[in-house]
Amino acid sequence: MKKIALRFSIVVFIMLSIVGTSMAQQWKSYIVGVKGDTLNRVDKQDKKQGKWVVRIESLRGEPGYEEEGVFVDGRKEDTWRKYSLMGDLLAVENYKWGMKDGSNLYYSSLTGNVAIEESWLAINPDKKYDTIDVENVDDPGHFTRVIIKNEGASLKHGTWKYFDPTTGFVTKTEFYHLGKLDADPLAKAASTDSPTSVKKDAAKASSKPKEVEDFEKQNSGKKKVRVRDGATGY
């Protein structure tokens, strides 16, 4: 039994040595997590890969934090979570090509409730120009293809909401279209029903046909001309 146990230990040691050697050959550096998984991997091209845990200590009055997520070829990808050094959730961010993309949530450090919800659009940094499909806010479900010059950063795009951290109610809403602050779609719709708009529509509806205008010009200054108007009793 002792010989079998010894042989088993040797086999396990050899296997771990092979795995360790293979890992060392594949990665320039890495750490082993508490669960035995490899974290914070850096490949031979000095690019961060796979799951990472980043810890930033407090410095000059600025609170530290810890964040975890995935790197692909040195760029943040998918969902990242940020925590205070006490373990409280501070943010849930989404990334594409290393840039913010989609919905990003930021939490109040006092109540733990959502304080801000941001909306971003990532532009492929490998292209000078990128073609994207943008949904028409006035006609949901319909998209327009737009060519955008790459400025090297994400664009604010979509609805931004600001919350009261205590009650959770929305206190402010902003709408962005490809980095530019846009008018509220509801306000746009309401503007079509404004008094000015109604007056314009009424004036347009009450405008006389060209034939009637020509007839009035030809008979202006003359005695009243009787015309048939469809009434009976002549």
Side-chain angles (χ1 to χ4, degrees), residues 1-11:
M1 290 295 293
K2 290 183 178 179
K3 290 183 179 180
I4 294 176
L6 179 60
R7 288 177 181 176
F8 178 76
S9 299
I10 293 173
V11 170

Side-chain angles (χ1 to χ4, degrees), residues 70-204:
V70 173
F71 277 100
V72 175
D73 293 334
R75 297 170 177 169
K76 287 183 176 180
E77 195 74 18
D78 295 329
T79 302
W80 277 70
R81 287 176 168 81
K82 183 182 290 186
Y83 301 88
S84 70
L85 296 183
M86 299 296 292
D88 298 319
L89 182 63
L90 298 177
V92 177
E93 299 174 321
N94 289 286
Y95 288 86
K96 191 174 184 180
W97 301 306
M99 299 182 183
K100 290 181 181 180
D101 184 72
S103 177
N104 293 268
L105 301 176
Y106 298 90
Y107 297 82
S108 167
S109 59
L110 298 177
T111 64
N113 295 330
V114 176
I116 305 175
E117 180 180 355
E118 301 177 352
S119 183
W120 294 85
L121 180 66
I123 307 301
N124 190 342
D126 299 327
K127 298 180 180 179
K128 262 190 172 182
Y129 295 87
D130 199 4
T131 303
I132 59 174
D133 291 326
V134 179
E135 186 172 13
N136 188 341
V137 295
D138 297 322
D139 191 9
H142 292 78
F143 296 80
T144 301
R145 182 150 291 186
V146 179
I147 299 176
I148 295 180
K149 184 179 180 180
N150 188 359
E151 302 292 346
S154 296
L155 297 175
K156 293 181 179 180
H157 187 70
T159 304
W160 283 47
K161 296 180 181 179
Y162 300 82
F163 299 84
D164 183 308
T166 303
T167 64
F169 294 138
V170 176
T171 59
K172 181 181 177 182
T173 304
E174 294 176 337
F175 301 88
Y176 288 89
H177 182 77
L178 300 179
K180 296 180 180 180
L181 186 63
D182 201 2
D184 184 342
L186 296 178
K188 279 184 177 180
S191 67
T192 60
D193 297 326
S194 65
T196 303
S197 177
V198 171
K199 286 180 180 178
K200 287 181 179 178
D201 292 340
K204 185 176 181 181

